[in-house]
Amino acid sequence: MTEPVPAQQRTEHLTLPRTAPRPPGVVLHTVDLTEHTRLLGEVAPALKELSVEAARIREGEIAKPVREIAPLSLRVHELAMKCTRQVHDLSVSQYPALKDGADNLALLAGACSQISLAATLCNLAIHHRTEILLYEDADPTPATSRDQLRRAGVEMQQAATTYRAVARRLSRRLASFSARAEDRQLIAEAQRPSPQKAPSTPPVLAARRRG
């Protein structure tokens, strides 16, 4: 769970400059970082619940793989999509300009890929358990599917650790007056236009002028 942020501090933090440094053609948006902190904090418990469900299915015989595993796979896929959307929203916001914002965003992108991989592994668990219906030399036991579910659980647990850490860091910065002041300064500095360099004279023209 992340620490609650007093209403006054939340309001103060949301008065950050509305723009941040951006490459040409990319528009950055101001997002409610308090709300995003709440969303980040919800991911780790959801992943824990899903990994427990994967372990429960793995311990069984998986006699009806589609019926048993598909609901889990759908939930993991939905969470992966939700997390990917959040990473996108943060990436086009003021968040990367904050202290360690870009690094934390990279961590979240990696965690998203782990959640997506877990969803794929759940689908593979269904496939490996039903191969016996298609191929004579397929594994008639649930061993391979169990291993896929085990790997899915590992990926989700690792992603949960990342989400828990990033949510805690952002929550602490939102609750700190000095950190908020530092972030405002970083955004202000980042949004300043880059100094325009004077066009250089091509070497050929420079030689002609000297001549």
Side-chain angles (χ1 to χ4, degrees):
M1 295 296 293
T2 57
E3 299 89 356
V5 181
Q8 183 178 0
Q9 294 181 355
R10 292 198 301 267
T11 303
E12 180 180 358
H13 190 76
L14 295 180
T15 58
L16 293 170
R18 297 190 60 80
T19 58
R22 57 187 181 275
V26 177
V27 179
L28 295 181
H29 308 281
T30 298
V31 296
D32 186 341
L33 294 178
T34 301
E35 175 63 13
H36 274 283
T37 301
R38 183 187 68 80
L39 295 174
L40 290 171
E42 291 178 349
V43 175
L47 288 170
K48 180 179 179 181
E49 179 182 345
L50 292 170
S51 62
V52 168
E53 177 64 11
R56 184 193 66 78
I57 298 172
R58 180 164 53 89
E59 293 173 356
E61 291 300 321
I62 318 181
K64 300 177 180 178
V66 177
R67 186 179 302 178
E68 293 179 57
I69 304 176
L72 170 66
S73 178
L74 288 171
R75 291 171 63 194
V76 181
H77 272 291
E78 289 170 358
L79 182 59
M81 290 294 293
K82 178 181 177 181
C83 291
T84 302
R85 168 57 61 182
Q86 184 182 29
V87 167
H88 169 267
D89 291 345
L90 288 173
S91 72
V92 296
S93 75
Q94 77 274 26
Y95 182 66
L98 274 56
K99 182 178 180 181
D100 299 327
D103 291 339
N104 288 330
L105 194 63
L107 290 173
L108 291 177
C112 281
S113 69
Q114 289 181 303
I115 301 172
S116 296
L117 176 57
T120 299
L121 288 167
C122 288
N123 283 348
L124 285 174
I126 296 174
H127 170 68
H128 284 298
R129 192 68 180 105
T130 55
E131 272 189 332
I132 188 64
L133 302 175
L134 303 174
Y135 311 108
E136 293 182 358
D137 58 345
D139 182 5
T141 73
T144 304
S145 295
R146 284 173 177 164
D147 184 61
Q148 302 290 359
L149 291 172
R150 178 193 62 78
R151 292 173 55 196
V154 170
E155 296 294 337
M156 288 189 283
Q157 290 168 14
Q158 292 177 349
T161 299
T162 298
Y163 266 89
R164 194 177 297 111
V166 173
R168 187 179 298 114
R169 289 175 204 152
L170 182 53
S171 179
R172 287 174 177 171
R173 291 198 69 78
L174 290 173
S176 169
F177 177 83
S178 60
R180 295 198 311 277
E182 182 182 18
D183 286 339
R184 284 195 295 271
Q185 182 178 358
L186 289 171
I187 292 177
E189 292 175 354
Q191 78 174 44
R192 292 173 187 155
S194 301
Q196 296 293 329
K197 295 182 178 179
S200 58
T201 303
V204 175
L205 293 179
R208 289 178 180 174
R209 290 176 182 175
R210 287 194 298 267

